[in-house]
Amino acid sequence: MKKYLKRVGLSIAALSVAMLAACGGSEESTTEISSSQAEPSTEEVEDDIDRTGWPEKFVYGILPTEDQAELTKQFDPLVDYMENILGIEFELFVGNDYNALIEAMRNGHLHASGFGPFSYMLAHERGNAEAFAMGVEDPSAATYNAIFITLEDSGLESLDDLEGKTIAYADPASTSGHIFPKGMLINHLGLNMDTVDDHFSYVTFSGSHEASLYSILNGDVDVAGVCDVCIERVFERVQDHPNFDKLKIIAESDPIPRGPQAISMDLPENLRELVIHAFHEMHNDPEATAFLEESGYSAFIPAEDSAFDIIRDTAAALEMSAEDLLK
């Protein structure tokens, strides 16, 4: 994202809000990645598998995009790869939003999914989900940023210019598309949860980071809070838009841990271990790498629940509970 969008001012850091410091966290705490998840050896994976207690099919959750053909192109290699390893059907469940994925996991209809960092906290609390992997383009970069984007001719130069403007967030439970941008506004402008929405003339949830990007490109809103790497992944699809070259960043958050892949702890242990192993070794499979490339990753690295304590701290600082987000 940063190589495409223009930045405002001498230093974007001057516009950043110290979310992590305000919540008692540190950059180190956001990048705590562990390989302690149990991984079966290659020999174990190749042996006959005891499927006692396994579901008839493994259901994996995803969110919709603007283009269903892109979903098929992205996830078909994953389906083929996982079915070959598990020996059972690997089905995709398209949820309308993160809450739909969380509820599906809580009710036993969903077995694993990718989540944003904040929605993962809810999935862990409500759906007995456990983080096990994190998709990264560079294995040494396990964080990303929330950013505010607008168009050059909007007249907006910083967060100080947003009073009375229109804003789009991605999803109520989105870490970088709602929670952190809202926290940035609260901290930078001296607002609180009761007054932050009233600072704008119009507030909407677009449903996804891509939809928020289109809201900016099409002039539907003045500013949007989105994830930098999420938007970067769809640039090829939007670079011909007439307003593409007018996009710019006016504020950026401190580093956020990337969203994890999470699996239901209600599943049999050997099934969980096999899925975890498959994700961690995906970069070694020539066909599965097509899924990684379409997702903007080079590999899935191990992750564990404690890496997301900073998200819990941020939620507490913003007085946002699981109950608030699941209403």
Side-chain angles (χ1 to χ4, degrees):
M1 185 69 172
K2 298 165 188 175
K3 64 184 177 181
Y4 296 104
L5 298 190
K6 303 172 182 67
R7 295 182 181 277
V8 177
L10 296 178
S11 172
I12 196 70
L15 301 176
S16 300
V17 180
M19 284 294 296
L20 307 188
C23 299
S26 65
E27 183 169 342
E28 287 75 10
S29 66
T30 68
T31 57
E32 179 186 353
I33 307 300
S34 169
S35 58
S36 62
Q37 294 283 358
E39 293 186 35
S41 67
T42 302
E43 292 182 356
E44 288 174 331
V45 172
E46 292 176 349
D47 287 342
D48 290 336
I49 300 171
D50 178 9
R51 294 185 173 85
T52 302
W54 283 31
E56 292 185 1
K57 57 186 177 183
F58 191 94
V59 184
Y60 179 80
I62 60 176
L63 293 177
T65 69
E66 294 286 318
D67 189 337
Q68 291 298 111
E70 288 294 329
L71 273 182
T72 300
K73 179 181 178 181
Q74 179 178 352
F75 285 96
D76 273 356
L78 175 67
V79 172
D80 294 341
Y81 171 71
M82 294 302 297
E83 288 186 345
N84 183 57
I85 290 177
L86 299 181
I88 60 175
E89 182 181 353
F90 189 86
E91 180 180 276
L92 299 179
F93 171 83
V94 182
N96 291 330
D97 52 28
Y98 282 126
N99 283 335
L101 298 179
I102 293 166
E103 284 301 294
M105 185 168 282
R106 185 176 69 85
N107 293 320
H109 302 312
L110 182 67
H111 302 127
S113 180
F115 290 101
F118 195 86
S119 57
Y120 164 68
M121 183 192 77
L122 305 184
H124 178 76
E125 179 179 325
R126 293 298 185 89
N128 199 24
E130 189 77 9
F132 68 88
M134 184 182 293
V136 295
E137 181 177 2
D138 179 352
S140 66
T143 61
Y144 67 109
N145 301 89
I147 56 176
F148 283 89
I149 60 173
T150 188
L151 296 178
E152 284 187 330
D153 56 9
S154 68
L156 303 178
E157 302 296 327
S158 75
L159 298 183
D160 297 316
D161 302 326
L162 300 185
E163 185 173 5
K165 301 301 181 180
T166 58
I167 186 170
Y169 297 114
D171 180 280
S174 172
T175 302
S176 56
H178 179 221
I179 307 303
F180 268 71
K182 184 161 283 187
M184 293 167 68
L185 291 167
I186 288 172
N187 282 359
H188 186 82
L189 300 175
L191 303 172
N192 57 50
M193 287 299 293
D194 293 329
T195 61
V196 63
D197 286 343
D198 293 336
H199 192 70
F200 297 89
S201 62
Y202 176 71
V203 178
T204 187
F205 289 99
S206 68
S208 71
H209 296 274
E210 184 173 356
S212 289
L213 172 61
Y214 276 108
S215 294
I216 294 296
L217 290 173
N218 294 333
D220 298 327
V221 294
D222 298 313
V223 66
V226 294
C227 153
D228 57 359
V229 294
C230 301
I231 298 301
E232 188 170 307
R233 292 177 195 144
V234 303
F235 265 25
E236 287 187 4
R237 300 206 291 272
V238 301
Q239 61 184 347
D240 292 331
H241 193 286
N243 286 330
F244 177 84
D245 292 334
K246 297 180 182 178
L247 287 168
K248 70 177 182 181
I249 298 171
I250 61 170
E252 179 182 60
S253 75
D254 285 331
I256 307 169
R258 290 174 182 265
Q261 300 293 312
I263 191 167
S264 171
M265 294 299 288
D266 297 330
L267 294 171
E269 182 179 2
N270 70 332
L271 174 54
R272 297 199 314 268
E273 290 181 345
L274 195 55
V275 171
I276 292 169
H277 178 87
F279 271 79
H280 290 173
E281 295 299 315
M282 194 178 297
H283 60 282
N284 291 322
D285 185 280
E287 294 184 1
T289 53
F291 167 71
L292 291 172
E293 291 170 358
E294 285 292 330
S295 302
Y297 304 144
S298 65
F300 282 101
I301 61 175
E304 63 180 18
D305 178 72
S306 62
F308 300 90
D309 285 344
I310 183 62
I311 305 301
R312 298 181 174 96
D313 293 341
T314 301
L318 298 181
E319 300 178 352
M320 300 192 74
S321 67
E323 288 75 14
D324 294 329
L325 291 177
L326 289 175
K327 287 179 181 178

